[in-house]
């Protein structure tokens, strides 16, 4: 699934290639993985835009995007989890 996230001064189109979101099961005592749950996320940054001081939109080159994605991987992952969690909350309310 593709998400649009904002990290620092970039607006990024990010494709989530793998998402594991297992909620905790507080009644499970056989493993701490079951008790605490687990969350894993793999993603690929597809494209990005930024804005200059005058508000003019500029596309990010593939080389800049690759460097930015590596440097800010943790922030991108956090922004993706915020979007994924919000989407799950919206789907629960819609049902």
């Amino acid at each position: 699934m593709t998400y649009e996230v904002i990290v620092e001064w970039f607006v990024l189109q990010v494709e989530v290639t793998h998402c594991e979101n297992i909620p905790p099961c507080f009644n499970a005592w056989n493993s701490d993985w079951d008790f605490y749950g687990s969350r894993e996320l793999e993603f690929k940054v597809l494209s990005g835009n930024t804005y200059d001081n005058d508000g003019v939109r500029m596309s990010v080159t593939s080389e800049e995007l690759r460097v930015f994605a590596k440097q800010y991987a943790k922030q991108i992952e956090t922004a993706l989890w915020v979007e994924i969690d919000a989407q799950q909350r919206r789907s629960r309310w819609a049902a």
Side-chain angles (χ1 to χ4, degrees), residues 60-72:
V60 180
T61 66
S62 60
E63 180 61 31
E64 291 172 329
L65 203 59
R66 192 170 26 256
V67 170
F68 183 81
K70 189 171 187 161
Q71 185 176 358
Y72 290 96

Side-chain angles (χ1 to χ4, degrees), residues 2-31:
T2 303
Y3 294 93
E4 182 176 272
V5 296
I6 300 171
V7 176
E8 292 295 322
W9 53 90
F10 290 94
V11 179
L12 305 170
Q13 296 293 323
V14 182
E15 178 184 6
V16 174
T17 56
H18 173 76
C19 180
E20 179 181 295
N21 191 9
I22 300 172
C25 180
F26 299 115
N27 296 329
W29 292 96
N30 56 346
S31 125

Side-chain angles (χ1 to χ4, degrees), residues 1-3 5 13-20 40-46 76-77 80-81 83-84 87:
M1 181 161 230
T2 303
Y3 294 93
V5 296
Q13 296 293 323
V14 182
E15 178 184 6
V16 174
T17 56
H18 173 76
C19 180
E20 179 181 295
E40 290 182 12
L41 189 64
E42 294 177 10
F43 60 89
K44 180 171 67 170
V45 179
L46 302 174
I76 295 170
E77 183 177 342
L80 284 170
W81 278 121
E83 291 297 320
I84 291 168
Q87 184 181 36

